Amino acid sequence: MRQPAPDSPEAPSPAEGRGPVRYAPGAPESGLPTVAELVAVFSAAADRTEAEPPGGGPVLRDAACGYWWRRGLRCHPEDLAAAPGAQPLLAALIAAHGGDVLLPRPCPSGWAPQARLLGRPAYYVPTPAECGGVPDPYALLETVRRVRAEGGHPALLLLCAADDPTATVPPPELVRETCEAAVGEGLHIVSDETWRDTLHRPHDTVLVSPAEMCPEDVTVLCDLAGALTPPAWPAAIARFPPTPAGVARRARVLDLLAALGAHVAGPVAAAAAHALGEPEAVTARTAAATALHARVAAAAHHAVLTAGALALPPQAGRHLYVDLGPLRGRLAERGVNDSMELEDYLTARLGAPAPGGHRFGDELGALRVRLSTGPLLGATAQERMEALMAERPLQVPHVARALDTLTAAFHDLQGPR
């Protein structure tokens, strides 16, 4: 029997493996030294010998509770769970739900592998042209219909309130329409809000959590490495709905974290709890780092657009998502015909990772890459701090050189080799 192609109108788009990709790229990093106040807290707890319980101890969960209350999401410590990073926590969340998983296309690189690891069918749903992170509501309904018609059981929708890889923030009306469509079809929603505290223009961009719209049907996930702690200290938190079903899912997640041995390390838990309390030193660094990455991202966005490539304006995070489809002819002359070859080409040309769109669920033939702004800030901690402290960071010599290299790499595709 003929199998429809992934993007055929005859079938939903399965989240399958796409070529010999061994390692998924990590989330874009800040590249800046850890706040000294957090280092002191971490060091003071370095002699802790007891492990945090599965899901995190009361101090960490109480701090996470305060963090979400300040963002309008009411909760109590017994509604929360913590884990050593977003990946084990997401794996436990997926495992705690039965049924198939639906993902926006594109989506974070680790999502589809987590579903495959657990043996769960996963299906991509297209996002609208103006943003990423949230599936188009009509495409979502059609995908659910088709999956069920083929005998599947769609049960869980993953989405990003502030997106990796596109660096966009979906408008509230789209979030509402998609969430209402999902809940109407009986789906539970996991909202990844890792990048919510890295809005480039926080006074102009409206970010609304799906949990504000559908409080009984949304679990919120946040990797603290997005804005508060360094990736080397893995910590992530989840907020469950305060409903009987939410209580049962949280208990199941705690069982799974215990089975995995996924405990937050004691010193990390102490530093994470301090960061979640948002002392001035942490919030000031977050604001300064976000402003720096926003300026560099805007400059990179201008460079790729003037070269003839396409990219949505970055609104959050430390990255942008570039479509080089308009430059396909010039890339073909250089032996670049798919996103794996594009990844290799730009990584060598830029001297920094440029993961291709195939890692984020896009078709292999689509010439898309995620570019991170961290490598543009400098090669050493001293250089990156110099950029952070500069009044005009784009004029700092090493930042200007990095942007020139980026600009040249794209503009070279406009002319002959």
Side-chain angles (χ1 to χ4, degrees), residues 22-411:
R22 294 186 60 198
Y23 306 111
E29 297 184 11
S30 170
L32 298 168
T34 306
V35 176
E37 186 172 305
L38 289 182
V39 174
V41 173
F42 184 96
S43 299
D47 61 351
R48 284 183 53 176
T49 57
E50 73 280 7
E52 285 280 298
V59 174
L60 177 55
R61 287 186 289 112
D62 188 64
C65 186
Y67 170 86
W68 269 314
W69 270 83
R70 291 189 293 275
R71 285 153 181 79
L73 298 180
R74 296 184 176 184
C75 57
H76 298 89
E78 59 269 23
D79 302 324
L80 310 180
Q87 297 291 38
L89 186 52
L90 179 61
L93 288 170
I94 295 174
H97 290 77
D100 305 345
V101 181
L102 301 181
L103 315 170
R105 166 177 277 172
C107 68
S109 60
W111 285 7
Q114 293 280 36
R116 288 198 298 269
L117 179 68
L118 295 166
R120 297 295 176 82
Y123 298 90
Y124 290 116
V125 186
T127 54
E130 67 270 20
C131 68
V134 174
D136 176 88
Y138 298 102
L140 175 64
L141 291 172
E142 180 64 8
T143 301
V144 169
R145 182 189 69 79
R146 292 176 179 177
V147 170
R148 286 178 176 154
E150 295 182 359
H153 176 53
L156 189 64
L157 171 64
L158 308 186
L159 52 79
C160 281
D163 189 37
D164 173 20
T166 67
T168 58
V169 177
E173 57 272 19
L174 173 63
V175 177
R176 175 175 292 279
E177 290 174 6
T178 299
C179 289
E180 289 178 350
V183 172
E185 292 296 329
L187 305 181
H188 187 74
I189 299 167
V190 173
S191 174
D192 186 334
E193 301 183 8
T194 294
W195 301 105
R196 68 169 300 151
D197 294 324
T198 64
L199 300 184
H200 294 181
R201 303 181 68 180
H203 300 296
D204 300 324
T205 303
V206 179
L207 185 151
V208 177
S209 171
E212 297 179 61
M213 299 177 175
C214 304
E216 296 186 355
D217 300 287
V218 178
T219 298
V220 182
L221 171 69
C222 180
D223 189 337
L224 302 192
L228 298 177
T229 59
W233 303 351
I237 51 177
R239 173 192 177 274
F240 295 82
T243 63
V247 171
R249 290 191 185 108
R250 177 180 181 271
R252 176 62 175 152
V253 166
L254 296 186
D255 286 342
L256 292 162
L257 292 174
L260 294 170
H263 305 270
V264 181
V268 172
H274 189 78
L276 285 165
E278 299 183 286
E280 195 278 334
V282 172
T283 56
R285 167 61 68 80
T286 298
T290 298
L292 171 62
H293 283 280
R295 296 179 71 173
V296 175
H301 181 250
H302 177 75
V304 301
L305 291 186
T306 57
L310 303 174
L312 292 170
Q315 297 174 290
R318 303 184 280 261
H319 52 287
L320 64 158
Y321 200 54
V322 183
D323 184 351
L324 285 85
L327 304 175
R328 183 178 294 275
R330 293 296 184 185
L331 285 165
E333 294 174 3
R334 292 157 171 79
V336 177
N337 297 288
D338 61 35
S339 63
M340 292 183 71
E341 293 171 347
L342 180 61
E343 175 180 310
D344 292 341
Y345 173 81
L346 283 180
T347 296
R349 185 70 173 80
L350 300 176
H358 58 285
R359 296 180 180 266
F360 307 103
D362 266 329
E363 288 299 317
L364 187 62
L367 296 175
R368 300 189 182 111
V369 293
R370 187 189 70 189
L371 301 179
S372 297
T373 50
L376 301 174
L377 303 183
T380 67
Q382 182 178 352
E383 287 185 344
R384 294 188 287 270
M385 282 302 295
E386 182 183 349
L388 181 69
M389 302 303 294
E391 184 176 350
R392 295 180 175 84
L394 302 185
Q395 296 179 16
V396 173
H398 61 266
V399 176
R401 286 194 298 271
L403 286 169
D404 286 345
T405 298
L406 175 70
T407 301
F410 281 89
H411 281 259

